[in-house]
Amino acid sequence: MTPDTLARATADKPTPRRNDADTIATEIVEKLTYSIGKTTTAARLHDWLEATTLVVRDRIIDNWFGTTIHTYQRQEKRVCYLSMEFLIGRLLRDAISNLGLTDPIREALARYDVELDLVELLEPDAALGNGGLGRLAACFMESMATTGVPGFGYGIRYVHGFFRQEIVDGQQVELPETWLKHGNPWEFERRESSYEIGFGGKVTTIDENGRQRQVWRPAERVLAVAYDTPVVGWRGTHVNTLRLWSAQSLDPILLDAFNAGDHIGALLEANKAEAITRVLYPADSHQAGQELRLRQEYFFSSASLQDIIRRHLTQYPDLSNLSDKVAVQLNDTHPAVSVAELMRLLVDVHGIEWDTAWATTRAVFSYTNHTLLPEALETWPIHLFERLLPRQMQIIYAINAGVLREATQEHSFDDDTIRGISLIDEGNGRRVRMGQLAFVGSHAVNGVSALHTDLMKETVFRDLHKLYPTRIENKTNGVTPRRWLFESNPGLTRLAEQAIGTGFRDDITELVKLDPFAEDASFRERFAGVKRQNKQRLATLIEERLAIQVNPDAIFDIQVKRIHEYKRQLLNILETVALYEQIRSLPHLDWTPRVKILAGKAAPSYAQAKEIIHLAGDVARVINADPGVRDLLKVVFIPNYNVSLAEIIMPAADVSEQISTAGLEASGTGNMKFALNGALTIGTLDGANVEMLEHLGQENIFIFGLKADEVAKLRAEGHSGQGVIERQPLLRSAIDSISAGVFSQDDPNRYAGLMGALRDRDWWMIAADFKAYWDTQRQLDVLWKDRAKWDAIAVRNTARMGWFSSDRSIREYAHDIWRAGPDA
């Protein structure tokens, strides 16, 4: 933005709008009439949704312009957050709440006999993510706006995104999401912000005045077109931008081929380009899937960096101060190719010397690691990488040479350490290690919980940590309290306001003032009443969607997250089977009623995870049909877990299952949302559970099982589950029942392999942790019968979770890593 355009923009700043119900009602009708072409009598509910969205959007745009002008005027440093996922969920309620418009909009719509709650439910979930990684990115974008950090989110505008999950005959079926079917009123296409993205081709060397320069001539080009969505912070004063890229062909149709009769072939290039932004995480179990995924990652990384450089050069004369004015956060390894791409842009396109470009690159980038699973740290076959991105491969080799020279000449590391540092894995078919690339190309590398960060130094980045011992630091994750308390649990929010005032809405750490109310019987009773209403709402949803009746007076024991072996849904299912068998064998005992609720998606090519979903469905079918257990035990698997479903589930939970194999969960954010809403956590000492234990107190969280170092020791000793299973009758009986086909009589051998793996290897320590898990669950059974004590613990959970806000996380990133924002 030039000084002239900045001056004009400042002069054109819109007059603030009135936010009373009369004004809003008039504007909604105007949108119905002139934007949608409907009268109030002809309008359907989806028309009211669009009209209301447009009215809310207008107010956001006013502040959006103001934020942009303010950022340019003060020449503030911008934070650019690169992520393959932004699981933003429905935006209308979030925006209305943050702008403080809930009551006037509700009143305005009521004048036309329209209910705001019904309107909000029609908005589709944006299918832009899968699990915690994407939801964290969404929370961070909202918190950047709330805390006043100038931010740009960069990702992909997936047409179908992550799949819609249906369960057919007990098995997961993947169907395309259609969230863009009726358009997206929140977004703005920015045709002027379009960039060519190349693939393949060759690199040539040219001589310019005695200096050699590499020129990449791609064989294939596609166009990245920007779509912007405003992200409004709390109180609406600061609005940031989420920019998503859509892939388009440079030539929408090969007209010569079409006229020659090749009507399908004429569209081949367009279809190939558009495939890049069709689906999130295409199955990569085959070469075509791997290639498409690498194309996606480079596509959005290159477009984002070109955009960042263009914006910088509209305000500053050159790129010498790029790192002073831009911070780029790599959310996991998916955008790690950005390190090589920024080097290409600086050296090849803008003529900057290599050493200067490398210093700039490392000063610009920082990298968040989200996993300790070596197989989840992306690597790409060199032959694939070199074919698609030949110049970037040259740059990676050059970066690697410099890093290895530093390791050998300055530190004299041995060969094993050098192999661990290298960006090229020579022992696994020669692959590019994207985690290593992100690490060496960043000035800061952070874990997302204290334990995770410590383990990073000892495991996946052990050797790089020796080379750069000050680079790794911790930034524990957080969640936005606006969505995960104020909006999803208005009953609890109102109760807290009545008790401690409204200060916690602006400073969530003030929730700690609720702590003394854990000893107040009247408050506990009202707290339990809110929980009961939330459970009834979830029970109604379960009955409507699955025709299963559940008892809201039972413990709602909930595990909702991506289906993965290390997250140990299988441990939960085995305990459920063991409990079922005990209830049938000992019906005279005073069993505590439970409803076991699971939800989550398995990656399309992850056979074991899909088998666990199938087993959960089979177990549910048998248990729920058994009159012998009555309402003492019900099992529910809710299909198509997404943000909107989570907003109903989290407030209804009595027990939060956070039972991953210790040392493997980076942080978790579901654990934070559940506890904030007054659920009691049963979990391993893993991820952010460690810090939750510190903040909640050991009497208010239920930790069981092996610790991370004990897991590592058992694995090193070659632990198998056979001996453990034989010593535990409850576990052995559950495994035998599943193996024998008790829950799969149509195919008795269906789960023989799944159960056999527990005996042979027990890699995820399911058998090893079963007894501790069982005993802790029974401890919760006993506690449930003392409702005063249970409710007191629930109150303390809510009161003490304020620290786990994404506002706190963002302030730490801004101060320690980005050097951006109001406190920089």
Side-chain angles (χ1 to χ4, degrees), residues 172-192:
Q172 173 178 291
V173 174
E174 299 98 26
L175 300 172
E177 272 287 6
T178 56
W179 73 285
L180 286 173
K181 182 178 181 181
H182 300 292
N184 178 10
W186 292 108
E187 68 183 8
F188 296 86
E189 182 180 0
R190 305 299 195 196
R191 296 183 184 180
E192 71 280 6

Side-chain angles (χ1 to χ4, degrees), residues 9 40 55 74 165 364 396 503 559:
T40 57
V55 168
R74 299 190 61 180
Q165 179 194 56
V364 164
I396 289 172
Q559 186 178 21

Side-chain angles (χ1 to χ4, degrees), residues 329-432:
Q329 189 72 30
L330 305 176
N331 192 27
D332 212 16
T333 56
H334 307 131
V337 69
S338 297
V339 173
E341 177 64 2
L342 182 57
M343 286 296 291
R344 183 188 73 84
L345 293 170
L346 295 178
V347 174
D348 296 358
V349 178
H350 294 279
I352 296 174
E353 293 290 338
W354 178 273
D355 289 345
T356 301
W358 183 233
T360 297
T361 294
R362 286 198 296 184
V364 164
F365 284 121
S366 46
Y367 159 54
T368 300
N369 172 269
H370 284 278
T371 183
L372 295 172
L373 295 171
E375 63 270 21
L377 287 172
E378 287 185 314
T379 64
W380 296 109
I382 282 184
H383 66 82
L384 171 62
F385 204 105
E386 200 156 26
R387 177 168 57 81
L388 277 184
L389 304 170
R391 176 56 180 149
Q392 291 78 1
M393 192 68 245
Q394 288 180 346
I395 290 170
I396 289 172
Y397 277 128
I399 292 171
N400 195 43
V403 170
L404 295 186
R405 275 196 303 270
E406 181 180 356
T408 54
Q409 295 174 8
E410 297 182 20
H411 297 273
S412 302
F413 288 149
D414 59 31
D415 289 346
D416 285 342
T417 303
I418 293 296
R419 279 192 290 271
I421 289 170
S422 177
L423 276 60
I424 309 299
D425 182 356
E426 301 286 356
N428 191 25
R430 300 199 73 232
R431 302 175 72 90
V432 184

Side-chain angles (χ1 to χ4, degrees), residues 144-191:
M144 275 193 265
T146 292
T147 58
V149 175
F152 245 84
Y154 283 105
I156 294 179
R157 182 180 180 265
Y158 302 102
V159 176
H160 299 298
F162 207 57
F163 62 85
R164 175 166 54 88
Q165 179 194 56
E166 290 190 4
I167 304 298
V168 178
D169 296 329
Q171 299 185 70
Q172 173 178 291
V173 174
E174 299 98 26
L175 300 172
E177 272 287 6
T178 56
W179 73 285
L180 286 173
K181 182 178 181 181
H182 300 292
N184 178 10
W186 292 108
E187 68 183 8
F188 296 86
E189 182 180 0
R190 305 299 195 196
R191 296 183 184 180

Side-chain angles (χ1 to χ4, degrees), residues 34-51:
Y34 299 112
S35 297
I36 301 170
K38 290 284 187 75
T39 64
T40 57
T41 53
R44 300 292 183 91
L45 209 54
H46 61 82
D47 298 316
W48 290 104
L49 168 65
E50 185 173 355

